[in-house]
Amino acid sequence: MALGDHDDARVFLRQALDLATASGNTRAVIATELNLGDAYGYAGEAETAEMLYRRALDGARGQHPELVDFDLQHLGKHLMEQGSLMQARAHLQEALRLGTAKGDAGLIESTQAAVDRVEMLISQASADTPASAHGGAEAAQWSRRWTSWLQSRTTARTSARWEEGFPTLRDAVRDLTVRERVHPCHLRDQSFPVELLAGMAQEAEKAMAADGYLHNGKWNAAVGEAANRFAGQVDLAAVVARSTGLEADQPHNGVYIAYLEEGQFLDFHVDEFGFGEANLLLCLKHEHLAATPAVSCTVFIDADGYLECDLAPGDCVVFDGALTPHGRMPLGAGERVILVGFGFGFRARDQAPRTVAHLPPAPL
């Protein structure tokens, strides 16, 4: 493989895999599947390579958890090379977390380099220009400053604090949200195909159990075939255009989001700038006790106050995540929520790309 003779490499690695399987050496099976994945990847057969990487990862999770971080790094780098940047970042971040916990200095260094690379690629893709790493870092810093300022003055944890904190937020939030290209819009009765929603719900449950990771207080997992099938069959850009008037490209990324424990919530924040000018959150499951007087809602802040969206299965909300402060109220006893989030194209059609230079800085 190192000499570029991919055909011979695959022949020998297939023989090695057969021998490892026959001998019951599961660690050798996982290692050889990774090498074989590399051989197929270098030969340009990306689908076979991904299948082998995922099979190795499944084997590691089931039998050799000490190898999971290494397998995640292989799969994450492959996904990055194929342009699946959001999935790549999720896998690489998990690999970094596991490697850090193990104290594997070599793996930490190589994984951190991969994470830095995928973050730069995401920033470049989000701006739809050959942006510099410095420009991407500036945009990310702008988003973090706004989030930090919001969370120092209000919280999604209790509604009492919303009203207390809002007068001091009003002017700053108005200055920010007046630049939204999409105002929060709760959409019901969209008639999405039931079988596609059910497929995503099942896929999300499995993904959370196998690859779920905590991010900003919520569970996240990379979307898979079911979500890609949904996005391919349902014209989500048309849904956004009908409801908001924004003509945008089709979604370019997605993620499963889950709130599974009582009290779990998401504090007010803005998304990292550049991920898209419209986001769509679609509810796949919302389970709660029948006697519960109130349930957790997705919450937004705008210049007039707070907007609560109680999303039932099949409901969605469209909003501008980079400029609209949003969060989720704490879950009650017996409550579970599973959502899928889609980010829309790199920019709105027929409008000049926005940059942080034209947006208000976070207040001091």
Side-chain angles (χ1 to χ4, degrees):
M1 183 162 57
L3 294 172
D5 193 343
H6 303 129
D7 290 338
D8 274 359
R10 284 177 290 180
V11 168
F12 288 118
L13 286 167
R14 281 287 181 190
Q15 292 174 357
L17 183 58
D18 290 343
L19 289 168
T21 303
S23 68
N25 187 339
T26 52
R27 285 180 63 91
V29 168
I30 292 167
T32 310
E33 284 174 339
L34 289 178
N35 286 330
L36 192 55
D38 288 344
Y40 275 97
Y42 294 153
E45 298 186 37
E47 291 185 6
T48 303
E50 183 171 338
M51 179 272 293
L52 287 160
Y53 291 138
R54 291 190 181 279
R55 199 162 72 186
L57 179 59
D58 289 343
R61 289 192 189 282
Q63 298 172 294
H64 294 283
E66 73 278 6
L67 299 178
V68 169
D69 51 353
F70 189 60
D71 292 4
L72 283 166
Q73 188 196 69
H74 272 260
L75 178 56
K77 287 182 175 180
H78 173 78
L79 291 169
M80 178 170 60
E81 291 167 0
Q82 298 306 308
S84 300
L85 301 181
M86 304 306 288
Q87 291 188 53
R89 180 168 68 173
H91 286 79
L92 290 168
Q93 286 178 335
E94 186 184 358
L96 183 60
R97 178 178 60 81
L98 293 173
T100 301
K102 285 169 56 177
D104 187 333
L107 187 62
I108 291 169
E109 183 179 359
S110 61
T111 307
Q112 183 63 65
V115 169
D116 293 343
R117 172 66 177 166
V118 78
E119 293 284 7
M120 185 185 71
L121 291 173
I122 288 171
S123 296
Q124 290 176 347
S126 298
D128 199 26
T129 64
S132 67
H134 173 72
E138 181 184 8
Q141 188 177 57
W142 180 90
S143 304
R144 285 195 295 269
R145 285 176 174 170
W146 264 104
T147 292
S148 178
W149 185 83
L150 287 163
Q151 293 179 356
S152 70
R153 283 159 177 77
T154 188
T155 178
R157 184 181 282 119
T158 62
S159 58
R161 282 292 299 136
W162 301 352
E163 300 306 325
E164 292 173 16
F166 185 67
T168 63
L169 293 172
R170 182 179 289 113
D171 291 342
V173 170
R174 180 183 291 117
D175 200 24
L176 183 65
T177 59
V178 73
R179 293 168 168 81
E180 295 168 335
R181 290 182 175 168
V182 172
H183 300 294
C185 186
H186 187 173
L187 306 179
R188 303 175 177 87
D189 304 320
Q190 289 298 301
S191 301
F192 295 133
V194 174
E195 66 279 7
L196 296 181
L197 295 176
M200 282 193 293
Q202 292 176 357
E203 181 175 79
E205 293 272 18
K206 293 178 180 177
M208 290 295 169
D211 297 317
Y213 59 97
L214 274 174
H215 179 63
N216 290 340
K218 64 187 184 304
W219 289 100
N220 281 20
V223 299
E225 182 181 348
N228 293 331
R229 186 183 310 117
F230 176 86
Q233 294 186 30
V234 176
D235 191 347
L236 289 173
V239 172
V240 172
R242 287 195 303 268
S243 58
T244 69
L246 180 77
E247 295 289 340
D249 295 331
Q250 290 292 340
H252 68 279
N253 60 60
V255 64
Y256 288 125
I257 302 164
Y259 301 85
L260 306 175
E261 296 93 23
E262 181 179 357
Q264 194 172 11
F265 76 107
L266 178 63
D267 226 341
F268 289 115
H269 65 288
V270 293
D271 293 339
E272 189 169 320
F273 182 82
F275 278 7
E277 293 162 341
N279 302 76
L280 184 146
L281 277 181
L282 170 60
C283 182
L284 301 175
K285 281 190 176 184
H286 191 170
E287 302 169 349
H288 55 87
L289 301 176
T292 304
V295 295
S296 172
C297 297
T298 299
V299 192
F300 303 90
I301 309 177
D302 66 18
D304 298 318
Y306 295 85
L307 171 66
E308 298 180 25
C309 288
D310 176 10
L311 298 176
D315 284 2
C316 54
V317 59
V318 181
F319 62 102
D320 187 337
L323 297 185
T324 310
H326 55 285
R328 187 166 191 95
M329 299 161 55
L331 263 64
E335 194 173 5
R336 294 175 81 250
V337 178
I338 298 179
L339 311 165
V340 59
F342 292 102
F344 282 77
F346 303 139
R347 63 183 182 279
R349 297 175 186 164
D350 303 324
Q351 297 188 46
R354 62 187 183 193
T355 67
V356 293
H358 301 111
L359 296 173
L364 299 176

